[in-house]
Coordinates of all heavy atoms in Angstrom, one line a residue:
D1 N 1.3 9.7 -2.3 CA 0.5 9.4 -3.5 C 1.0 8.0 -4.1 O 2.1 7.6 -3.9 CB 0.7 10.4 -4.6 CG 0.1 11.8 -4.3 OD1 -0.7 11.8 -3.3 OD2 0.4 12.7 -5.0
L2 N 0.1 7.4 -4.8 CA 0.4 6.2 -5.6 C -0.1 6.4 -7.0 O -1.4 6.4 -7.2 CB -0.3 5.0 -4.9 CG 0.0 3.6 -5.6 CD1 1.5 3.3 -5.3 CD2 -0.9 2.5 -5.1
Q3 N 0.8 6.6 -7.9 CA 0.4 6.8 -9.3 C 0.4 5.4 -10.0 O 1.5 4.7 -10.0 CB 1.4 7.7 -10.0 CG 1.2 7.9 -11.5 CD -0.1 8.6 -11.7 OE1 -0.4 9.7 -11.1 NE2 -1.0 8.1 -12.6
M4 N -0.7 5.0 -10.5 CA -0.9 3.7 -11.1 C -1.1 3.9 -12.6 O -2.0 4.6 -13.0 CB -2.1 3.0 -10.4 CG -2.0 2.9 -8.9 SD -3.4 2.0 -8.2 CE -4.7 3.0 -8.6
T5 N -0.3 3.2 -13.3 CA -0.5 3.2 -14.8 C -0.5 1.7 -15.3 O -0.3 0.8 -14.6 CB 0.7 3.9 -15.4 OG1 1.9 3.2 -15.2 CG2 0.8 5.3 -14.9
S6 N -0.9 1.6 -16.6 CA -1.0 0.3 -17.2 C -1.8 -0.7 -16.3 O -1.5 -1.8 -16.1 CB 0.4 -0.3 -17.5 OG 1.1 0.5 -18.3
L7 N -3.0 -0.2 -15.8 CA -3.8 -1.0 -14.9 C -4.3 -2.2 -15.6 O -4.7 -2.2 -16.7 CB -4.9 -0.1 -14.3 CG -4.4 0.9 -13.3 CD1 -5.5 2.0 -13.1 CD2 -4.1 0.2 -12.0
K8 N -4.4 -3.3 -14.8 CA -4.9 -4.6 -15.2 C -6.1 -5.0 -14.3 O -6.2 -4.5 -13.2 CB -3.8 -5.6 -15.0 CG -2.5 -5.3 -15.7 CD -1.4 -6.3 -15.4 CE -0.1 -6.0 -16.0 NZ 0.9 -7.0 -15.6
P9 N -7.0 -5.8 -14.8 CA -8.1 -6.3 -14.0 C -7.6 -6.9 -12.6 O -8.4 -6.7 -11.6 CB -8.7 -7.4 -14.8 CG -8.4 -6.9 -16.2 CD -7.0 -6.4 -16.2
E10 N -6.5 -7.5 -12.6 CA -6.0 -8.1 -11.3 C -5.6 -7.0 -10.3 O -5.3 -7.3 -9.2 CB -4.8 -9.0 -11.6 CG -3.8 -8.5 -12.4 CD -3.9 -8.9 -13.9 OE1 -5.0 -8.9 -14.4 OE2 -2.9 -9.4 -14.5
D11 N -5.5 -5.7 -10.7 CA -5.3 -4.6 -9.8 C -6.5 -4.2 -9.0 O -6.4 -3.4 -8.1 CB -4.7 -3.4 -10.5 CG -3.3 -3.7 -11.1 OD1 -2.5 -4.3 -10.5 OD2 -3.1 -3.2 -12.3
T12 N -7.7 -4.8 -9.4 CA -8.9 -4.4 -8.8 C -8.9 -4.8 -7.3 O -8.6 -6.0 -6.9 CB -10.1 -5.1 -9.4 OG1 -10.2 -4.6 -10.8 CG2 -11.4 -4.9 -8.7
A13 N -9.1 -3.8 -6.4 CA -9.0 -4.1 -5.0 C -9.4 -2.8 -4.2 O -9.5 -1.7 -4.8 CB -7.6 -4.5 -4.6
V14 N -9.6 -2.9 -2.9 CA -9.6 -1.8 -2.1 C -8.2 -1.4 -1.7 O -7.4 -2.3 -1.2 CB -10.4 -2.0 -0.8 CG1 -10.4 -0.8 0.1 CG2 -11.9 -2.3 -1.2
Y15 N -7.8 -0.2 -1.9 CA -6.4 0.2 -1.6 C -6.4 1.0 -0.4 O -7.2 1.9 -0.1 CB -5.9 1.1 -2.8 CG -5.5 0.3 -4.0 CD1 -6.4 -0.4 -4.8 CD2 -4.1 0.1 -4.3 CE1 -6.1 -1.1 -5.9 CE2 -3.8 -0.7 -5.4 CZ -4.7 -1.3 -6.2 OH -4.4 -2.1 -7.3
Y16 N -5.4 0.7 0.5 CA -5.2 1.3 1.8 C -3.9 2.0 1.9 O -2.9 1.4 1.4 CB -5.4 0.3 2.9 CG -6.7 -0.4 3.0 CD1 -6.9 -1.6 2.3 CD2 -7.7 0.1 3.8 CE1 -8.1 -2.2 2.4 CE2 -8.9 -0.5 3.9 CZ -9.1 -1.7 3.2 OH -10.3 -2.4 3.3
C17 N -3.8 3.1 2.5 CA -2.5 3.7 2.9 C -2.3 3.4 4.4 O -3.3 3.3 5.1 CB -2.4 5.2 2.5 SG -3.5 6.3 3.5
A18 N -1.1 3.4 4.8 CA -0.7 3.0 6.2 C 0.5 3.8 6.6 O 1.3 4.2 5.7 CB -0.6 1.5 6.3
A19 N 0.7 3.9 7.9 CA 1.9 4.6 8.4 C 2.5 3.9 9.5 O 1.8 3.2 10.3 CB 1.5 6.0 8.8
K20 N 3.9 3.9 9.6 CA 4.6 3.3 10.7 C 5.8 4.1 11.0 O 6.4 4.8 10.2 CB 5.0 1.9 10.3 CG 6.0 1.8 9.2 CD 6.4 0.4 8.8 CE 7.0 -0.4 9.9 NZ 8.4 0.1 10.2
K21 N 6.3 3.9 12.2 CA 7.6 4.4 12.6 C 8.7 3.6 12.0 O 8.5 2.4 11.7 CB 7.7 4.5 14.1 CG 6.8 5.5 14.8 CD 7.3 6.9 14.6 CE 6.5 7.9 15.4 NZ 6.7 7.8 16.8
G22 N 9.9 4.2 11.8 CA 11.0 3.4 11.3 C 11.0 3.3 9.8 O 10.4 4.0 9.1
I23 N 11.7 2.2 9.4 CA 11.9 2.0 8.0 C 10.6 1.4 7.3 O 9.8 0.8 8.0 CB 13.1 1.0 7.8 CG1 12.8 -0.4 8.4 CG2 14.4 1.5 8.3 CD1 13.8 -1.5 8.0
P24 N 10.5 1.7 6.1 CA 9.3 1.1 5.3 C 9.5 -0.4 5.2 O 10.6 -0.9 5.0 CB 9.4 1.8 4.0 CG 10.8 2.1 3.8 CD 11.4 2.5 5.2
T25 N 8.4 -1.1 5.3 CA 8.4 -2.6 5.2 C 7.3 -3.0 4.3 O 6.4 -2.2 4.0 CB 8.3 -3.3 6.5 OG1 7.0 -3.1 7.1 CG2 9.4 -2.7 7.5
S26 N 7.2 -4.3 4.0 CA 6.2 -4.9 3.2 C 5.2 -5.7 4.0 O 4.3 -6.3 3.4 CB 6.8 -5.8 2.1 OG 7.5 -6.8 2.6
T27 N 5.3 -5.6 5.3 CA 4.4 -6.4 6.2 C 3.4 -5.5 6.8 O 3.7 -4.6 7.6 CB 5.3 -7.0 7.3 OG1 6.3 -7.8 6.7 CG2 4.4 -7.9 8.2
G28 N 2.1 -5.7 6.5 CA 1.0 -4.9 6.9 C 0.9 -4.8 8.4 O 0.6 -3.8 9.0
S29 N 1.2 -5.9 9.1 CA 1.0 -5.9 10.6 C 2.0 -5.0 11.3 O 1.8 -4.7 12.5 CB 1.1 -7.4 11.1 OG 2.4 -7.9 10.8
E30 N 3.0 -4.6 10.6 CA 4.0 -3.7 11.2 C 3.6 -2.2 11.2 O 4.2 -1.4 11.8 CB 5.4 -3.9 10.6 CG 5.9 -5.3 10.8 CD 7.3 -5.5 10.1 OE1 7.7 -4.6 9.4 OE2 7.8 -6.6 10.2
Y31 N 2.5 -1.9 10.5 CA 2.0 -0.6 10.3 C 1.0 -0.2 11.4 O 0.2 -1.1 11.8 CB 1.4 -0.3 9.0 CG 2.5 -0.2 7.9 CD1 3.1 -1.4 7.4 CD2 2.8 1.0 7.3 CE1 4.1 -1.3 6.4 CE2 3.8 1.1 6.4 CZ 4.4 0.0 5.9 OH 5.4 0.1 4.9
D32 N 1.1 1.0 11.9 CA 0.3 1.4 13.1 C -1.0 2.1 12.8 O -1.9 2.0 13.6 CB 1.2 2.3 14.0 CG 2.5 1.6 14.4 OD1 2.4 0.5 15.0 OD2 3.5 2.3 14.2
Y33 N -1.0 2.8 11.7 CA -2.2 3.5 11.3 C -2.6 3.2 9.9 O -1.8 3.0 9.0 CB -1.9 5.0 11.4 CG -1.4 5.4 12.8 CD1 -0.1 5.6 13.1 CD2 -2.3 5.6 13.9 CE1 0.4 5.9 14.3 CE2 -1.9 6.0 15.1 CZ -0.5 6.1 15.4 OH -0.1 6.5 16.6

């Protein structure tokens, strides 16, 4: 889950969840699904 509060107009976007093996990272290309 992603609980979002105090939302701002700049939060407007399509939000995606993703999964990967190993440690969590901030790089989208490292996610497999």
Side-chain angles (χ1 to χ4, degrees):
D1 291 349
L2 184 69
Q3 178 65 51
M4 306 183 295
T5 63
S6 301
L7 285 163
K8 308 173 181 178
E10 50 262 46
D11 295 319
T12 295
V14 176
Y15 284 70
Y16 299 90
C17 67
K20 69 183 294 292
K21 291 287 186 66
I23 63 172
T25 70
S26 61
T27 304
S29 62
E30 297 178 357
Y31 286 76
D32 302 307
Y33 303 99

